[in-house]
Amino acid sequence: MTVPREKNEPRKLPMMPIRDMVIFPYMMTPFVVGRESSVRALEEALNGDRKIFLATQHDASIDEPKAKDIYQVGAICNIVQSVKMPDGNIKVLVEGVERAKAVEITDRDGFFVATVRTGKRDFEMTPAVEQLMQRVTTLFESYVKLQQSLNYEAIVATVRMDEAAKLSDTIAANLQLNIEEKQELLAIFDPAQRLARLADMLDVEIEKLDLDRNIQSRVKKQMEKAQKEYYLNEKIKAIQKELGRGEKSEFDELRKKIEAAGMPKEVLDKCIQELKKLEVMPPMSAESTVSRNYIDWLLAVPWKKRSKETRSIDFAEKVLNADHYGLEKIKERILEFLAVRQLVKNPKGSILCFVGPPGVGKTSLGMSIAKATGRKFVRLSLGGVHDEAEIRGHRRTYIGAMPGQILQHMKRAGTRNPVFLLDEVDKISSDFRGDPASALLEVLDPEQNTTFQDHYLDVDYDLSQVLFVATANVMHTIPAPLQDRMEILRLQGYTEQEKLEIARQYLVKKQREQTGLSEKNIVFKDDAIVEMIRAYTREAGVRNLEREIGNICRKVARKVVKAGARHKEEITAANVADFLGVARFRDSEAHEQSEIGLVTGLAWTEVGGSILTTEVQVLDGKGKLTVTGQLGDVMQESAQAALAYIRSKAPALGLTREFYRSIDIHLHVPEGAIPKDGPSAGITMATALASALAKIPVRRDVAMTGEITLRGKVLPIGGLKEKLLAALRAGLFEAILPRANEKDIAELPDNIKNSMKLHFVDTMDEVLALALERPLPTPLPEAAKTLAAVPAEVAGNLPAPQ
């Protein structure tokens, strides 16, 4: 069927921009006209054939739109009725005639005139179009059923028609779409294409409405369930009241707990206020759960409960000595702390920080302090913590928020005055979530921690009664402000004798019990323990030693199970290898004979001391200094300083001032795979250089350590105890040390002071006099004359190490 239309020709019509609506053909639409330009366009149309072109604005907020602010496609409408209202506005009823496109928009006498062109005038109805019309009608009926805001009977009746164009425009006008989508439909001139697009839009809208209905149904069921539970709970309460059981409500019990908790007044007021809010909340609401958890946490942390302290100095000393061997300075400081607590009624909490290598007993010392003082003990490991909320907690606005670890551990302790161990405080990290070390500043400051605020509780909490003990392996990773708030107590590595005593008194007994053995099954001789210390462990503490003792005990336990309970093993130095295999380490030993250019130095490592051999070889060359042995920058600079000193003393060594120009010097520190650094090998290198150049052997029975300056001064070093222990293990009983370290003699163990002869020196000349087997040769006369004429800076420019 073909519907004849008038010839499609452009025509000029008054134009009115409209806001927040799209007018379709065949539809009657009322609206109010108030803008002056729109009123003039309306009057122009009323004075003519009552036809006007209506097009929608892009942006409804623009009061005076330009041509570019208006969609090009709109509707030609008949003005059916117009009524002027008291406020000056005009109420208009228009009927859409057909869609048209503005090809030109001009401004005339204060209103728009559009030259419009309508669409194609004839349309062929085909079976495909009829099928599409039927599908769109069916979809629209389903849409109206789901859309509660539309009257099903009235709307469905209006779309029962045979014309494709009229059907598509009527349905488009009744769909609840946004302006852009409606404008898209208006811009489609072909009815078949318009129907196809409508079908797609209806599919999407129906899917949305189905989803909304399912969600509403689910929410309704949940609300009905919550209301039912609330009703039943209230009914149960009423029944119990009628039965006269006299049971107090849950809120009354909470109120009693709050009043008995011993909270400060500000905290008590806040808790009571939170309880009042909880009473009026629906029991199943999310807010009530948050409030209840908050009240439970306020009740869980200790506000007044304290451990009864044991203030007996004798008992504390007995406990510390029973749990730890040695560590006299640490024990003295703890006993001093207890003595002060007996004299001062309310002393401020002390913050102790034990710094030392792994395995020396830092963590177990914290447990012993709690045992000696009768306090509760809690431990917080800070290794790898990188979120500030771990310390202070999250605010209650976050889902799943909890207090920080400080208050969580206070809850676990159950008292206001526990011993709180902050383990591995040197391994705290930070990222975009904050810096936990900065949060600890308030915790560890006795002047501030009386009013510590956790983000979750948001009330002041007093930590001043807590004895904080921190542990660390190194100091340089701890921020300076945090170090300033702690009293640093350094734990040195154990000596061989101390390790032997610890093994005899503690480790052997502990491992024997853990493996189910008795003294009748296994006996450790002292030489066996010494052999394990020297050949199977290389550490400052005793952790690996305990592990090796445990390995032997397990092997013996297996033999006991096979051979019977009477089986006995005696562990000696001779049979340790049968249980532990080949020795893993070997102690460096002194040289068999004195040699030229070979010197024994002393070094400090994180696992104790060791001897450090330094070798120098003089070769033909052009004055190059080669330094090998994987030495760090500081050690390489020490080699250059040593050579500069030797060059300045060339006449004393029987050398000319230009001696170095015809030779190369190679300085090597063996065990080249191990990195080495530090300034304390300065005098060792200088002695080796002097020996190699003067051709005088160095005494094999002397060890040395000290930093050297360009003028031959010997400066102090660290790690004296560990270095001298290494010398003793290597069979060296004489050592050359800086004079400035003489004050450290008091802290050395008695076995070192009684076994070794220690020489304290100020200058390199004294070192050479003690270390070389024979005195240096008499200075060359011509060399001495030359030297007298040379300025002080004889060291000159040295060749860079290769």
Side-chain angles (χ1 to χ4, degrees):
M1 179 179 69
T2 302
V3 180
R5 300 262 181 188
E6 295 179 6
K7 189 176 179 182
N8 181 14
E9 295 178 353
R11 57 187 297 192
K12 290 188 177 182
L13 291 173
M15 176 182 175
M16 184 193 303
I18 54 176
R19 291 190 274 200
D20 297 326
M21 69 169 74
V22 177
I23 296 177
F24 285 89
Y26 312 107
M27 300 304 298
M28 300 286 283
T29 308
F31 60 91
V32 176
V33 178
R35 285 187 294 208
E36 184 179 350
S37 59
S38 298
V39 171
R40 290 183 179 182
L42 182 64
E43 291 173 347
E44 179 70 17
L46 290 173
N47 293 333
D49 58 0
R50 302 180 69 86
K51 283 190 169 47
I52 191 169
F53 179 65
L54 301 180
T56 307
Q57 292 179 205
H58 290 289
D59 185 355
S61 63
I62 299 175
D63 288 331
E64 298 296 335
K66 307 296 183 184
K68 61 183 178 59
D69 299 325
I70 308 169
Y71 285 106
Q72 288 185 311
V73 178
I76 299 173
C77 301
N78 278 328
I79 301 173
V80 178
Q81 185 179 3
S82 64
V83 178
K84 194 161 187 177
M85 301 172 67
D87 59 1
N89 294 334
I90 301 174
K91 189 171 183 180
V92 181
L93 177 66
V94 298
E95 179 185 12
V97 178
E98 59 181 325
R99 59 178 40 79
K101 181 176 182 181
V103 295
E104 184 183 4
I105 301 175
T106 57
D107 192 338
R108 188 176 70 192
D109 298 332
F111 64 91
F112 289 119
V113 174
T115 302
V116 299
R117 187 185 297 275
T118 57
K120 193 176 179 181
R121 297 300 179 133
D122 50 12
F123 172 70
E124 184 178 354
M125 185 70 73
T126 63
V129 174
E130 291 178 355
Q131 187 176 0
L132 190 58
M133 289 174 63
Q134 186 176 353
R135 178 170 177 257
V136 169
T137 303
T138 304
L139 287 172
F140 185 65
E141 289 178 359
S142 301
Y143 171 82
V144 175
K145 284 181 182 177
L146 294 170
Q147 184 60 265
Q148 298 179 356
S149 61
L150 297 177
N151 187 320
Y152 177 76
E153 297 296 336
I155 295 296
V156 170
T158 61
V159 298
R160 289 174 182 163
M161 55 190 68
D162 296 332
E163 286 189 43
K166 190 173 183 180
L167 175 68
S168 61
D169 285 337
T170 304
I171 291 176
N174 285 285
L175 282 180
Q176 294 189 357
L177 304 173
N178 58 42
I179 296 298
E180 288 76 13
E181 289 173 324
K182 286 196 172 187
Q183 185 65 37
E184 179 189 352
L185 291 172
L186 182 66
I188 301 174
F189 282 80
D190 183 73
Q193 294 179 9
R194 198 155 60 242
L195 285 169
R197 181 68 183 121
L198 267 175
D200 294 339
M201 287 184 172
L202 282 167
D203 282 333
V204 173
E205 293 300 316
I206 289 171
E207 188 175 348
K208 288 181 184 176
L209 291 171
D210 277 333
L211 182 61
D212 286 344
R213 188 174 65 172
N214 291 337
I215 293 173
Q216 288 178 1
S217 176
R218 197 178 304 123
V219 170
K220 185 178 179 182
K221 287 180 181 178
Q222 290 175 351
M223 290 179 64
E224 289 174 351
K225 181 181 178 182
Q227 289 172 349
K228 179 181 178 182
E229 289 179 356
Y230 177 76
Y231 170 74
L232 292 175
N233 284 330
E234 293 298 317
K235 198 164 186 178
I236 288 171
K237 291 178 185 177
I239 292 171
Q240 289 175 345
K241 188 174 181 180
E242 288 296 324
L243 290 173
R245 292 183 181 177
E247 291 189 4
K248 298 294 183 182
S249 70
E250 181 183 7
F251 298 118
D252 292 336
E253 293 176 4
L254 278 175
R255 193 179 298 276
K256 277 191 173 182
K257 289 180 181 178
I258 292 169
E259 292 170 353
M263 300 176 184
K265 185 178 184 306
E266 295 80 4
V267 182
L268 179 63
D269 293 344
K270 187 165 187 176
C271 198
I272 293 294
Q273 183 183 5
E274 196 70 27
L275 180 62
K276 290 178 180 177
K277 287 165 59 178
L278 180 63
E279 288 176 347
V280 298
M281 289 182 187
M284 301 304 295
S285 68
E287 290 81 1
S288 68
T289 304
V290 172
S291 286
R292 179 57 194 263
N293 287 341
Y294 179 70
I295 293 172
D296 287 344
W297 268 107
L298 282 175
L299 291 171
V301 294
W303 294 100
K304 66 176 182 179
K305 186 178 178 182
R306 297 165 49 90
S307 297
K308 185 177 180 180
E309 288 189 53
T310 304
R311 300 193 176 185
S312 169
I313 301 293
D314 295 335
F315 174 76
E317 189 172 5
K318 184 178 178 181
V319 169
L320 292 172
N321 288 331
D323 289 349
H324 292 84
Y325 179 83
L327 305 177
E328 299 303 329
K329 281 193 172 183
I330 307 298
K331 293 176 182 176
E332 285 178 14
R333 178 63 187 87
I334 295 168
L335 295 175
E336 289 166 4
F337 165 75
L338 295 177
V340 170
R341 293 196 69 81
Q342 286 193 14
L343 299 175
V344 181
K345 186 176 181 181
N346 290 312
K348 291 182 179 179
S350 299
I351 291 90
L352 305 178
C353 181
F354 300 142
V355 179
V360 295
K362 300 185 294 297
T363 303
S364 59
L365 199 57
M367 298 173 68
S368 296
I369 293 173
K371 184 177 176 183
T373 56
R375 297 182 178 210
K376 297 281 188 178
F377 176 78
V378 286
R379 172 182 168 271
L380 170 59
S381 178
L382 295 172
V385 172
H386 50 73
D387 188 355
E388 182 253 357
E390 291 285 339
I391 306 299
R392 290 185 176 277
H394 293 89
R395 301 196 182 278
R396 282 193 290 158
T397 52
Y398 295 103
I399 296 173
M402 291 183 69
Q405 291 292 334
I406 298 295
L407 287 190
Q408 287 190 40
H409 281 71
M410 290 300 294
K411 172 191 173 185
R412 192 175 304 164
T415 62
R416 290 184 57 196
N417 61 338
V419 173
F420 201 126
L421 183 71
L422 300 170
D423 214 1
E424 311 293 356
V425 75
D426 58 326
K427 296 176 180 61
I428 298 176
S429 58
S430 61
D431 60 11
F432 64 93
R433 287 168 286 195
D435 183 4
S438 299
L440 280 176
L441 295 178
E442 181 185 3
V443 176
L444 298 181
D445 191 339
E447 301 295 333
Q448 299 181 36
N449 62 11
T450 54
T451 55
F452 171 71
Q453 274 215 355
D454 184 271
H455 287 158
Y456 181 82
L457 293 188
D458 199 27
V459 294
D460 290 345
Y461 189 82
D462 186 2
L463 293 173
S464 62
Q465 301 300 314
V466 180
L467 173 55
F468 285 103
V469 178
T471 71
N473 295 129
V474 294
M475 288 289 296
H476 64 269
T477 58
I478 304 176
L482 192 57
Q483 291 185 33
D484 185 57
R485 282 162 171 78
M486 301 185 292
E487 181 178 347
I488 308 298
L489 301 177
R490 297 185 180 274
L491 282 73
Q492 304 294 338
Y494 293 119
T495 66
E496 186 177 285
Q497 184 62 33
E498 288 171 337
K499 289 182 181 179
L500 175 61
E501 291 297 330
I502 291 169
R504 279 198 305 201
Q505 296 181 29
Y506 306 100
L507 304 183
V508 171
K509 180 181 178 182
K510 178 181 176 183
Q511 289 300 319
R512 205 161 44 203
E513 291 175 354
Q514 288 185 358
T515 51
L517 300 174
S518 66
E519 294 181 10
K520 297 178 181 179
N521 299 127
I522 186 170
V523 175
F524 283 88
K525 295 293 185 182
D526 287 354
D527 61 347
I529 296 174
V530 171
E531 178 66 15
M532 282 189 284
I533 293 170
R534 292 179 177 177
Y536 293 91
T537 64
R538 184 62 58 88
E539 59 179 344
V542 292
R543 191 169 289 154
N544 285 325
L545 177 60
E546 181 181 4
R547 196 172 290 127
E548 297 302 335
I549 293 172
N551 287 342
I552 294 178
C553 289
R554 286 191 293 273
K555 287 178 169 58
V556 173
R558 181 181 175 186
K559 291 184 178 182
V560 169
V561 171
K562 285 187 175 181
R566 294 185 178 181
H567 180 78
K568 183 175 181 179
E569 287 282 350
E570 189 175 84
I571 312 302
T572 64
N575 66 1
V576 164
D578 297 336
F579 292 93
L580 299 180
V582 179
R584 299 187 186 93
F585 306 100
R586 66 177 179 84
D587 263 333
S588 302
E589 297 180 355
H591 319 306
E592 294 182 1
Q593 61 183 11
S594 301
E595 297 183 33
I596 293 172
L598 184 63
V599 185
T600 303
L602 298 174
W604 177 91
T605 68
E606 288 188 357
V607 295
S610 66
I611 68 171
L612 197 68
T613 303
T614 302
E615 302 174 338
V616 170
Q617 193 71 271
V618 179
L619 309 167
D620 292 336
K622 297 181 180 180
K624 183 173 69 172
L625 171 65
T626 303
V627 181
T628 57
Q630 202 168 341
L631 309 185
D633 291 341
V634 176
M635 208 164 178
Q636 291 188 33
E637 290 172 1
S638 293
Q640 294 183 53
L643 181 57
Y645 168 76
I646 294 300
R647 283 177 57 188
S648 72
K649 291 292 184 181
L653 300 175
L655 303 171
T656 65
R657 184 165 165 253
E658 306 294 329
F659 77 91
Y660 64 92
R661 295 188 182 278
S662 60
I663 61 171
D664 285 347
I665 299 175
H666 189 159
L667 187 149
H668 178 67
V669 182
E671 299 187 18
I674 302 173
K676 311 168 191 72
D677 205 359
S680 64
I683 66 171
T684 310
M685 294 176 175
T687 304
L689 288 167
S691 171
L693 293 169
K695 308 298 183 185
I696 301 175
V698 181
R699 290 173 55 191
R700 61 172 292 279
D701 58 342
V702 174
M704 62 184 70
T705 179
E707 182 179 352
I708 189 175
T709 70
L710 289 175
R711 301 181 183 278
K713 301 293 184 183
V714 180
L715 302 183
I717 46 84
L720 184 62
K721 172 185 170 184
E722 289 82 359
K723 290 178 178 180
L724 293 178
L725 285 171
L728 269 181
R729 288 199 301 267
L732 299 168
F733 299 97
E734 199 168 341
I736 301 172
L737 306 171
R739 178 81 61 189
N741 284 108
E742 193 170 3
K743 66 183 186 316
D744 301 326
I745 289 292
E747 298 182 4
L748 294 179
D750 291 336
N751 64 324
I752 293 179
K753 290 187 280 189
N754 297 332
S755 304
M756 296 193 71
K757 183 178 181 181
L758 305 178
H759 301 279
F760 294 96
V761 297
D762 291 309
T763 66
M764 191 64 208
D765 291 341
E766 296 175 70
V767 175
L768 295 177
L770 291 166
L772 298 180
E773 284 201 337
R774 62 176 184 269
L776 292 171
T778 304
L780 295 175
E782 63 275 12
K785 292 177 185 177
T786 305
L787 184 65
V790 174
E793 53 274 10
V794 295
N797 295 320
L798 296 179
Q802 303 296 315

